[in-house]
Every structure is written in structure tokens, then in C-alpha cells.
Amino acid sequence: MTSTASFWLVKSEPNTYAFADLQRDGRTVWDGVRNNVAALHLKAMKRGDQVLFYHSQIGLEVVGIAAVTREAFLDPSDTAGRFVAVELETVRALPRPVSLAEMKAAPALAEMAMLRLSRLSVSPVRPAEWSKILAMAGDAGG
DNA sequence: GCCAACGTTGGC
DNA sequence: GCCAACGTTGGC
């Protein structure tokens, strides 16, 4: 069977919700996104899509992999009913984190959406970028 | 702590 | 509908 999963990257401040929290919880509702472009990406996520988990503000590195377990639904934290959330589950921590500096220094990642639009909290990752980052992390699964 | 980038708001 | 002011994000 051919895989049709897509790849994404989400940012979270570890002070607020770290990858370790996702590992503890198993699954979590990814809500609170209040940016239209990010919301479009959330709406495009399909069950089974793979997601890089990035720590913003503190750490500044990709630390783990999550997967989409529930496709976009109205964000329960948005009383205006305008934005959506998805549900994510933990997959695995990376053998070693990949820092923002490393990603910036990698020519293969020069066009990554998260590097070009630094404030975007949910962004697409191309298959080649996904493979590159997992290779940089020493993760054989990419 | 500062600043750049970018989105939103509100006066006109 | 324009655009200046303001707020937020996130890297440095």
C-alpha cells in the first residue's frame, strides 16, 4: 500500500506544552492556533500524517515526532467558532534534537516553510525535508 | 530586553 | 478601503 501521509511541523513553547508533556499524555488536542495560514494547514492535516514537534523560545530545536489522530474540528477554546484544532499523539522522541541553527545551515532545508515564515506555528514539511531532518537527528525511521 | 515580521484593529 | 497604530510571535 502506498503511503499518502503528509508531513508537518508544529511549534510549542516547552514552558506551555513540551514534547515530554505529549509523551506523558499520549494524545492531546492541538488548539489555540489563531493564525489563518496556520489554520489552513491544520485543516489540511489527515489522520496518520506525521508531525515534527519543535520547541520555540526555549530549546529552539525539533525534539520529537507526533501523528495526527483526529482531523480538524472546531477549536473548543475559540468561543467565536472560527478556528480549528486537531488531535495529536506521540510517536517517538528523536535520538538527538535538531536545532534551528542546524536547520538554517542545511542547504537542503533552505526553503523550509518554518524558516521562511518564522512566526508560522503550523507549517508543511516536504518529504525531502522530513527525510533530511530525521537523518540529522540520527533517526532511522525517515 | 530588543527588534523584525506580520496580523489585526479602528479612524477616516 | 486605506493605512497608521498596536499587539503578538519568536529569534537574537
Side-chain angles (χ1 to χ4, degrees), chain A residues 7-124:
Chain A
F7 302 113
W8 309 94
L9 180 146
V10 298
K11 294 179 179 179
S12 185
E13 293 184 38
N15 275 347
T16 304
Y17 196 83
F19 188 69
D21 295 317
L22 180 61
Q23 291 181 298
R24 178 199 63 215
D25 296 343
R27 295 185 177 189
T28 195
V29 171
W30 206 257
D31 61 1
V33 173
R34 294 292 182 272
N35 172 280
N36 287 309
V37 176
L40 281 175
H41 295 143
L42 288 180
K43 288 176 185 172
M45 288 184 181
K46 298 299 179 191
R47 186 185 301 266
D49 281 1
Q50 303 287 107
V51 182
L52 293 172
F53 196 109
Y54 174 82
H55 282 169
S56 62
Q57 311 284 357
I58 298 169
L60 309 187
E61 57 194 9
V62 177
V63 294
I65 298 173
V68 177
T69 48
R70 189 177 167 197
E71 295 175 11
F73 52 96
L74 276 180
D75 184 338
S77 74
D78 176 19
T79 53
R82 185 175 162 209
F83 289 103
V84 296
V86 297
E87 184 188 70
L88 300 180
E89 69 176 359
T90 184
V91 174
R92 63 182 180 274
L94 294 176
R96 81 187 125 71
V98 178
S99 72
L100 178 65
E102 286 177 272
M103 289 191 282
K104 282 184 169 178
L109 303 180
E111 293 184 23
M112 262 191 89
M114 71 98 56
L115 296 179
R116 296 178 76 105
L117 274 173
S118 67
R119 288 180 60 223
L120 193 55
S121 59
V122 182
S123 60

